[in-house]
């Protein structure tokens, strides 16, 4: 048996139970990993609460930002190898998977999230070998690695797909959120000329500036985000908006763009059903792209960038595994600034 934090039915945070749980055994083509750290994400909360239209096998263990060392392998890995997990589970056989675009696979789901694979809120986890990324001699510590596979990979996908580079400007919501922090740090590393972000209150505004944002709009002082964007850019909109909020921000996102701007969407924290100002959308000739995580190849690219540019994600807090509920509660209440991790060896 091992220590783990499963839930047996959907609901509030007290559905999470720290208990003894059967150790996983590697099936054919799988690897068992001793989990060192697991990042906490909003997806963990949505999975625990239950996502409409998504059924998963219960009991279920959350956690998709997984790093550690190989314990057992039926797929050619050596015991003790430092590894991280690419969290996108797919069929591995379809045209998209064979082309390295596994996040377009019809069976694509997230390990520890919307798939039946248990995740990293546990001492051990079993995952397909094709999802294991060797860290080898990379000069990346495991805490940093535990921040990258979800928020940073998604941000990297969106920035790359929308040609973020020198001479471009962008807006991203929520400097203290996972995608917000990742976007700011990666955009700086990519040379983006003007980065604008939002924050809830002066402390999180300071956090956004410290990360490298050129302008921070404090939502406690103004609700007119688009107006502030235009004011700070001399009457122009931004080239790119990174929207991970959903229903509450789509109109603001489109209003904040310059003609021909691009809107990248990856989340629905505020709701699934957004209203689009159609006239503004087509008049500005906005291009909209969606991002579901990213590919394993993009994760490897991201690791190289993080190492080369010495990017250091901010760790808000590290909770022992037994306090997974407190960790999720901190995220649900919006008290964090940076990444929350679980130490799965404690």
């Amino acid at each position: 048996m091992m220590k783990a934090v499963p839930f047996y039915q959907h609901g509030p945070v007290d559905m999470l139970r720290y208990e003894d749980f059967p150790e996983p055994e590697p099936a054919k083509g799988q690897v068992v990993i001793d989990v060192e750290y697991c990042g906490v994400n909003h997806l963990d909360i949505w999975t625990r609460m239950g996502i409409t239209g998504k059924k998963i096998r219960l009991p279920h263990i959350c956690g998709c930002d997984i790093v550690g060392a190989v314990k057992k392998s039926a797929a050619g890995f050596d015991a003790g190898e430092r590894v991280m997990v690419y969290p996108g589970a797919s069929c591995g056989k379809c045209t998209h998977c064979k082309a390295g675009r596994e996040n377009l696979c019809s069976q694509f789901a997230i390990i520890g999230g919307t798939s039946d694979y248990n995740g990293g809120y546990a001492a051990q986890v079993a995952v397909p070998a094709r999802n294991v990324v060797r860290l080898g001699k990379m000069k990346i510590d495991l805490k940093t690695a535990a921040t990258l596979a979800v928020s940073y990979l998604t941000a990297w996908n969106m920035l790359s797909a929308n040609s973020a580079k020198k001479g471009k400007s962008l807006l991203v919501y929520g400097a203290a959120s996972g995608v917000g922090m990742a976007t700011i740090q990666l955009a700086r590393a990519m040379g983006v000329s003007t980065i604008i972000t939002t924050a809830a209150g002066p402390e999180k505004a300071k956090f956004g500036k410290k990360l490298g944002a050129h302008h921070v709009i404090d939502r406690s002082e103004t609700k007119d985000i688009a107006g502030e964007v235009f004011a700070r850019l001399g009457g122009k909109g931004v080239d790119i908006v990174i929207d991970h909020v959903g229903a509450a921000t789509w109109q603001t996102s489109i209003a904040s763009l310059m003609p021909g701007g691009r809107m990248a969407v990856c989340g629905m924290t505020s709701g699934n059903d957004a209203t689009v100002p159609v006239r503004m959308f087509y008049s500005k000739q906005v291009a909209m792209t969606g991002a579901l995580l990213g590919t394993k190849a993009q994760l490897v690219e991201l690791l190289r960038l993080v190492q080369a540019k010495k990017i250091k994600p901010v760790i808000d807090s590290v909770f022992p595994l037994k306090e997974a509920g407190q960790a999720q509660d901190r995220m649900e209440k919006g008290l964090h600034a940076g990444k929350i991790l679980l130490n799965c060896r404690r």
Side-chain angles (χ1 to χ4, degrees), residues 52-241:
T52 302
K54 296 284 186 181
K55 290 186 178 180
I56 56 174
R57 184 171 56 236
L58 298 176
H60 185 73
I61 298 172
C62 293
C64 39
D65 264 322
I66 304 165
V67 297
V70 173
K71 181 179 179 64
K72 298 178 184 177
S73 172
F77 287 84
D78 294 328
E81 280 192 80
R82 295 170 68 246
V83 295
M84 67 184 298
V85 175
Y86 167 65
S90 59
C91 76
K93 300 175 183 178
C94 70
T95 302
H96 294 303
C97 287
K98 289 180 178 179
R101 294 297 310 277
E102 58 268 31
N103 57 342
L104 291 174
C105 175
S106 63
Q107 297 181 35
F108 189 83
I110 307 297
I111 292 170
T114 53
S115 77
D116 283 333
Y117 282 102
N118 282 324
Y121 285 26
Q124 297 172 28
V125 64
V127 299
R130 63 177 174 270
N131 287 77
V132 179
V133 178
R134 288 182 163 103
L135 295 176
K137 296 181 181 178
M138 287 188 179
K139 295 180 180 179
I140 295 178
D141 66 85
L142 291 183
K143 285 184 181 179
T144 295
T147 71
L148 300 178
V150 179
S151 297
Y152 279 77
L153 176 56
T154 303
W156 175 241
N157 183 3
M158 291 188 290
L159 291 168
S160 301
N162 289 283
S163 302
K165 59 186 177 181
K166 185 176 180 181
K168 298 289 187 178
S169 58
L170 71 79
L171 165 68
V172 62
Y173 301 101
S177 68
V179 171
M181 176 172 70
T183 299
I184 294 167
Q185 291 189 307
L186 294 175
R188 285 296 298 232
M190 297 167 78
V192 173
S193 297
T194 306
I195 302 165
I196 304 175
T197 190
T198 65
E203 288 305 312
K204 290 189 176 181
K206 289 178 184 176
F207 181 82
K209 290 291 286 185
K210 188 175 180 180
L211 285 174
H214 299 97
H215 302 283
V216 181
I217 301 169
D218 188 341
R219 292 191 291 106
S220 68
E221 297 178 355
T222 180
K223 302 299 181 185
D224 185 10
I225 304 301
E228 285 293 318
V229 167
F230 276 77
R232 298 182 191 217
L233 290 181
K236 300 186 299 182
V238 292
D239 295 290
I240 305 165
V241 174

Side-chain angles (χ1 to χ4, degrees), residues 260-306:
R262 300 180 66 87
M263 178 176 164
V265 180
C266 71
M268 54 174 198
T269 309
S270 65
N272 185 52
D273 299 318
T275 300
V276 176
V278 177
R279 184 183 297 276
M280 186 188 300
F281 182 83
Y282 71 70
S283 296
K284 285 190 172 185
Q285 300 179 65
V286 170
M288 186 182 297
T289 62
L292 178 56
L293 206 64
T295 67
K296 183 181 178 183
Q298 286 178 308
L299 179 56
V300 174
E301 291 175 355
L302 173 63
L303 284 165
R304 290 172 181 154
L305 178 74
V306 168

Side-chain angles (χ1 to χ4, degrees), residues 9-91:
Q9 64 185 68
H10 296 291
V13 71
D14 59 8
M15 293 293 104
L16 298 175
R17 293 166 52 174
Y18 177 70
E19 64 182 27
D20 290 325
F21 199 84
E23 292 184 3
E25 286 294 330
K28 183 179 179 180
Q30 289 189 345
V31 176
V32 173
I33 296 168
D34 278 326
V35 183
E36 187 79 21
Y37 294 102
C38 184
V40 177
N41 291 281
H42 277 288
L43 178 59
D44 305 345
I45 296 168
W46 300 334
T47 300
R48 184 249 301 157
M49 291 294 294
I51 300 172
T52 302
K54 296 284 186 181
K55 290 186 178 180
I56 56 174
R57 184 171 56 236
L58 298 176
H60 185 73
I61 298 172
C62 293
C64 39
D65 264 322
I66 304 165
V67 297
V70 173
K71 181 179 179 64
K72 298 178 184 177
S73 172
F77 287 84
D78 294 328
E81 280 192 80
R82 295 170 68 246
V83 295
M84 67 184 298
V85 175
Y86 167 65
S90 59
C91 76

